[in-house]
Amino acid sequence: MCKTEYAVCGSPHLLEGSLSAFLPSLNLAPRLSIPNPWIRSYSFDGKEEWEVNPLYCNTVREIYPYSNSNRLLNIVDMAIFDFLTGGGGGQALNSASPPRFGRHSHDEISILAPLSQCCVIKRTTLLRLQLLAEPEYRLSDVMRESLLQDPLAPVLTEPHLLALDRRLQLILDAVGRCIDTFGEATVVANDTAQPQSPAAHRAKLDT
């Protein structure tokens, strides 16, 4: 199923990867694998409903466990992370995998479908994104400095680092369009008792 626009393809059809999970045994912590409503089919046979129905999120909001918990907000967080790295959409919500950076020259906007269709985001997530968009705490600079400590430094190429800044702005643009349409009170979920502004975050980092 490999196509030229895919970031990574198998050779010829298998792909080596890794998965790390730090979870207690099922006897101690029973749990269910919850499929991501925006899962990708990885098939050429038609499209998933979220790809053709702009009102798909209305359906998701009516389904447990997305109807009465923060899971939908967590899906939006995961989509933002995947979009920043250029990785594919998450398959299940109890999975954990290392970041996979795709092509730096291609921004796969469809990864942001949970954000753009549901128009909701955690306040803490938005504040952090706004902070990382400011010149003194630019995401690419923060990543560059952090990765200098890695034995495999520089790890990411400069185009990949600059792609982070570009994609971050696309995320903020998407949030801005949602706020223009529905209002900040509806879009930004107050997940902290005392929300802080980006300026307050900067002051905390400076001390």
Side-chain angles (χ1 to χ4, degrees), residues 42-182:
Y42 296 102
S43 169
F44 297 138
D45 301 328
K47 295 184 177 182
E48 297 292 332
E49 184 180 352
W50 64 266
E51 296 180 274
V52 296
N53 180 9
L55 301 179
Y56 175 69
C57 188
N58 292 341
T59 301
V60 175
R61 291 179 190 272
E62 299 297 322
I63 302 173
Y64 178 85
Y66 315 107
S67 56
N68 60 355
S69 71
N70 288 329
R71 291 190 187 275
L72 188 57
L73 290 168
N74 292 338
I75 289 176
V76 172
D77 275 356
M78 185 167 63
I80 289 173
F81 177 80
D82 280 339
F83 180 68
L84 285 171
T85 62
Q91 299 300 306
L93 302 186
N94 67 348
S95 61
S97 61
R100 299 157 297 156
F101 282 81
R103 287 188 296 157
H104 61 79
S105 58
H106 177 68
D107 302 329
E108 185 53 59
I109 300 297
S110 66
I111 296 176
L112 285 181
L115 170 62
S116 59
Q117 292 181 357
C118 297
C119 273
V120 64
I121 187 173
K122 295 177 184 176
R123 182 177 297 276
T124 52
T125 298
L126 179 58
L127 291 175
R128 181 56 56 89
L129 295 175
Q130 290 172 334
L131 177 65
L132 293 171
E134 299 200 7
E136 58 266 49
Y137 297 109
R138 197 177 304 278
L139 178 55
S140 60
D141 294 336
V142 172
M143 281 290 290
R144 188 182 297 106
E145 182 177 353
S146 174
L147 292 174
L148 287 177
Q149 311 302 319
D150 194 290
L152 297 178
V155 182
L156 292 178
T157 65
E158 192 64 19
H160 277 100
L161 292 172
L162 296 179
L164 290 173
D165 295 331
R166 183 181 69 245
R167 291 167 182 164
L168 175 55
Q169 189 56 55
L170 291 173
I171 294 168
L172 293 176
D173 290 345
V175 175
R177 289 191 295 272
C178 286
I179 291 176
D180 289 343
T181 303
F182 300 105

